[in-house]
Amino acid sequence: MNHDFDLSAVEEEIANCMRCGNCQATCPYYQETGFESSVARGKIALAKSVLQGKIKYTPTLAERFECLTCYACNATCPCGIQIDKIFLAARAVMVRNGGSPAFKKLMAAALKNQGLLDLGLKTATLAKGLLFQPHPSGGLSPRFPLGLDLRRVVPSLSPKTFRDGMRESVTVPGAKSKVAFFTGCLVNYVYPSTGRAVVEILTKSGVSVLIPWKQHCCAAPLALNGVMDVAEQMARSQIDLFSGLDVDAVVVACGTCGESFKKKYVELLDGAPGYAGKARELAAKTCDIADFAWNVAPFNRQLLKELAMRVTYHEPCHLGRGLGVTKEPLEIIRTIPGLDFVPLREPERCCGNAGSFSFTHYDISYNILKHKLADISGTGADAVVTGCSACRMQLEDGFAQEGLGKRVFHTAELLAMSLK
Amino acid sequence: MSVQEAIYTLRSVLGKENVITAKEDLICYSFDATADLPEHLPDLLVTPMTVEQVAEVIKAANRYKMPVYPRGSGTNLSGGTVPVRGGIVLSSLKMNKILEIDPDNLTATVQPGVIIQTLNNTIAPHGLIYPPDPGSMATATMGGSVAECSGGLRGLKYGVTRDYVMGLEVVLANGDIARFGGKTVKNVTAYDMVRLFTGSEGTLGIITEIIVRLIPAPETRETMFATFADLTTAGRSITEIIRSKVIPATMEIMDRVTMETVENHAQIGLPTESEAILLVEVDGIPEVVRREAATVREVITRNGGVVKTAAGDHERDQLWAARRAALPALARKRPTTILEDATVPRSKITEMLLAIQNIGRRYNLTIGTFGHAGDGNLHPTILTDSRDQEEMERVHRAVDEIFKAALSMGGTLTGEHGIGMAKARYLPWEYGEKGVQVLQKIKEALDPEYLLNPGKMVPCREERK
């Protein structure tokens, strides 16, 4: 176990907080609650109190370290503190001391075991008529409390997962390069159309694609919630699966998954014999599909067909602030003929999904979403383009709840549509 | 048991969700943005939604003898919201409505929890501005900035918060609700109570509604950037610009330490071989702006400075980025950042800058100085580490000397941050014992039990000699 996930390792970051409170200006969570314990300055004070022994572990304290992990505070902090590192260390300490809330334990168990997740989600597909009722929007709303808020509209699970519907290797004759595609859970189970779009873009650009069947959750839901030991095991397993492959790059279609490959595995396996070096190599190879299609293996612009739509773009936190992929999706959108692109006023503001946060804090998550919905409505766009399936789920829930009748596309889907 | 009784009473009045008692939450209210101060846990936090609820809180505070500390966003730099004696922190953040924008009378009426930037965003479509612009305007509340009488970058031409507060609703220490002032430009009814409560730092009453004056947004502006080989010519330029009958909206200075730090941090091409830079902005109607900018350039050149004018919004943003980077860049250098705001008459700016440099050398400390040169309000910023006790001793002695220097030049302890806890012990240096006694008489007339923000500005009874 890497000992860096401890508050003592981030003591300097904690000491560097000058408590100016500038993080209040951009923290979406704080802006809903108005409580200092929601915002970075307050959480850092709590972390300091833990270090100084002024406060012990309590379930309430563990809850106070929860947030959207949207990195808005990092981007605002005048002292340049890596605030997320403090939060993650604090969450790891909370998990080691007293465990995380029951829901998260359940998630952790399911995500650790690919077979269980697969079976669970497939069973859910079969049992969906029992558990969910159709919502007028075309999605489903839960009939019984499943750990989901009863008001929430979730997309139908795909009857066939993306990976089940694909060959493991999609080769292009005379390919210029070969990549591995890490699909991520939501693309695999909920939005297979995104996965198909990624494969289409790559193959049309002369890139062969390998989709390792054994791949599993990237571990971000665990690492972000402080379950570091399990996350580390999963990181090792991903390294075993991906670093031996003879590929030029690993393509991802989700900012959070991308972060796991580009950052988290390196941190989790820092100094681990036989793994640290491989984790760094894998990190260097990993590339988000928007970045890849724009910079690495550019798509053929001659093939683009007109799409007559007004669209806007929502920047996922972990893709934008996390991976720094901010310009490429916009370049892609601007290149597609016929699109009327109207930017959001605050494209980089969190949509409120934040993975399990939206399960455990549905009301706050939805209130955060309302700002995004208002921003989107103001553009008059027919569809929202984004690079993250979790954001997409959140936006679709909002559109269904408010009866807005707008659609959401992954950047890859939009591009694939135009390349058809 | 009185704390438990108070909690019970307050919950019945405010509702459970507006009375917070978990230690995990209260820790986050044991401090504010001020460095190097003791922290103290409050007994509870209340988040009232109406003026009547605020009055109920004050009545409960009287009944249970618990002090009350009003708090907005907790971004002040005087320790103004630290609950030093325990008791009740009263947050204004749930009273955050803009009640009225009145373009005919050029006023806005707001609740105390409104963020300054939100007010400005709301009035912008009317072509109006609310000029006070403290560095924290994206986070600070109207209530907090009125209570602290915040300044800002535009103080030279547009004045400070007190110049814009026209009316206040206040909950007094006995729970009574009073209103003073209003929307009229002229108002000489009785004592100027609005000015008394503005800058009272929460020690005389709880502000629950504010009427502020708005002004038309300036049509245009011109931004200039000048470098100087020594502090004397920079200082002379500042006074000569004013003497030439030009009052720039802002006239900001940065010393060499600050410049070097900004340059190391951001590499924006600052002339680190210079001793000082000035950032000057004139605004108003185009004809006047052109003429004033020409005068500014002429004065600077005559004094040996090298001046450059921003060609458009992009260049202007770049120049401002350098100024805005000053505090962040300094703050990144060491863990603890002590930001002071000693202020002198503008004719003494050079003398004060030299005195600060001298003090830094004598106590072997890194002090970067930047600030609002046009109004004499400097921000000597000491970069240190609060964990290093020996160094902190030197810091405290240096701060003492900075205040002595400012006062000896006819200046003041604080230009815009307020006295609070941080400067309370220096108060007699500026006011003398007799002056401090006057403050105490005012305090006791309005808050005889010292329930409102005790330990701030006015020494409590038992602290007196």
Side-chain angles (χ1 to χ4, degrees), chain B residues 33-229:
Chain B
T34 321
D36 191 31
L37 283 184
E39 297 174 12
H40 203 292
L41 267 187
D43 293 303
L44 59 147
L45 162 73
V46 295
T47 54
M49 329 249 311
T50 63
V51 59
E52 290 77 19
Q53 289 187 344
V54 173
E56 290 298 331
V57 172
I58 301 302
K59 283 174 191 160
N62 273 285
R63 199 172 321 141
Y64 301 106
K65 301 278 174 252
M66 290 173 81
V68 179
Y69 310 87
R71 179 181 173 110
S73 295
T75 52
N76 73 87
L77 294 169
S78 65
T81 48
V82 181
V84 264
R85 294 170 169 235
I88 304 168
V89 169
L90 187 157
S91 165
S92 68
L93 292 183
K94 286 193 182 171
M95 294 174 72
N96 61 354
K97 290 187 192 62
I98 295 176
L99 300 171
E100 187 196 44
I101 307 289
D102 182 348
D104 296 335
N105 288 307
L106 292 179
T107 62
T109 306
V110 300
Q111 290 189 319
V114 170
I115 306 297
I116 303 172
Q117 183 74 58
T118 308
L119 174 63
N120 267 309
N121 293 345
T122 310
I123 59 180
H126 298 275
L128 298 171
I129 59 167
Y130 170 70
D133 58 347
S136 55
M137 66 185 293
T139 49
T141 61
M142 290 294 292
S145 62
V146 170
E148 296 287 340
C149 191
S150 309
L153 298 168
R154 295 190 282 207
L156 171 59
K157 179 171 178 179
Y158 292 106
V160 296
T161 300
R162 80 162 67 85
D163 301 310
Y164 294 88
V165 184
M166 299 176 76
L168 290 175
E169 177 188 75
V170 183
V171 175
L172 300 168
N174 59 4
D176 288 347
I177 301 168
R179 295 186 72 98
F180 304 106
K183 286 187 184 179
T184 59
V185 173
K186 294 179 175 174
N187 179 334
V188 290
T189 300
Y191 293 140
D192 191 344
M193 299 304 283
V194 172
R195 282 223 168 183
L196 178 63
F197 283 99
T198 303
S200 63
E201 302 187 8
T203 61
L204 301 180
I206 312 284
I207 296 167
T208 50
E209 199 179 297
I210 306 157
I211 302 172
V212 290
R213 184 163 72 92
L214 308 175
I215 64 166
E219 278 175 47
T220 185
R221 61 196 169 199
E222 203 156 308
T223 310
M224 289 152 286
F225 179 86
T227 56
F228 297 89

Side-chain angles (χ1 to χ4, degrees), chain A residues 28 68 152 314 317 349-355 357-359 361-362 364-369 372 391 394:
Chain A
L68 303 155
R152 191 181 182 108
H314 160 67
C317 301
R349 195 182 203 275
C350 180
C351 69
N353 178 286
F357 184 89
S358 67
F359 296 122
H361 301 75
Y362 185 67
I364 289 172
S365 165
Y366 197 84
N367 287 337
I368 294 170
L369 172 62
K372 185 60 71 179
C391 299
Q394 177 83 345

Side-chain angles (χ1 to χ4, degrees), chain B residues 147-345:
Chain B
E148 296 287 340
C149 191
S150 309
L153 298 168
R154 295 190 282 207
L156 171 59
K157 179 171 178 179
Y158 292 106
V160 296
T161 300
R162 80 162 67 85
D163 301 310
Y164 294 88
V165 184
M166 299 176 76
L168 290 175
E169 177 188 75
V170 183
V171 175
L172 300 168
N174 59 4
D176 288 347
I177 301 168
R179 295 186 72 98
F180 304 106
K183 286 187 184 179
T184 59
V185 173
K186 294 179 175 174
N187 179 334
V188 290
T189 300
Y191 293 140
D192 191 344
M193 299 304 283
V194 172
R195 282 223 168 183
L196 178 63
F197 283 99
T198 303
S200 63
E201 302 187 8
T203 61
L204 301 180
I206 312 284
I207 296 167
T208 50
E209 199 179 297
I210 306 157
I211 302 172
V212 290
R213 184 163 72 92
L214 308 175
I215 64 166
E219 278 175 47
T220 185
R221 61 196 169 199
E222 203 156 308
T223 310
M224 289 152 286
F225 179 86
T227 56
F228 297 89
D230 59 81
L231 288 173
T232 316
T233 48
R236 203 184 301 138
S237 299
I238 293 164
T239 43
E240 276 188 32
I241 287 169
I242 307 287
R243 210 186 299 145
S244 312
K245 314 286 185 292
V246 175
I247 310 285
T250 45
M251 188 141 60
E252 295 288 304
I253 194 163
M254 251 196 242
D255 73 351
R256 190 189 183 122
V257 174
T258 309
M259 256 188 297
E260 280 171 356
T261 312
V262 170
E263 190 52 30
N264 278 339
H265 163 60
Q267 286 95 44
I268 43 184
L270 287 181
T272 48
E273 70 284 358
S274 312
E275 273 303 315
I277 53 176
L278 279 186
L279 181 64
V280 186
E281 191 163 287
V282 287
D283 67 3
I285 56 174
E287 296 79 3
V288 175
V289 167
R290 255 197 308 278
R291 214 175 62 201
E292 290 188 341
T295 306
V296 169
R297 280 190 289 267
E298 194 268 315
V299 169
I300 290 171
T301 315
R302 178 154 32 88
N303 279 289
V306 180
V307 64
K308 182 187 155 191
T309 306
D313 278 353
H314 178 66
E315 274 191 35
R316 173 182 185 266
D317 291 346
Q318 281 182 324
L319 296 181
W320 272 101
R323 166 62 182 87
R324 272 195 299 266
L327 183 58
L330 289 169
R332 283 173 201 222
K333 224 171 158 178
R334 298 285 304 278
T336 308
T337 309
I338 312 256
L339 180 69
E340 290 301 349
D341 67 326
T343 300
V344 293

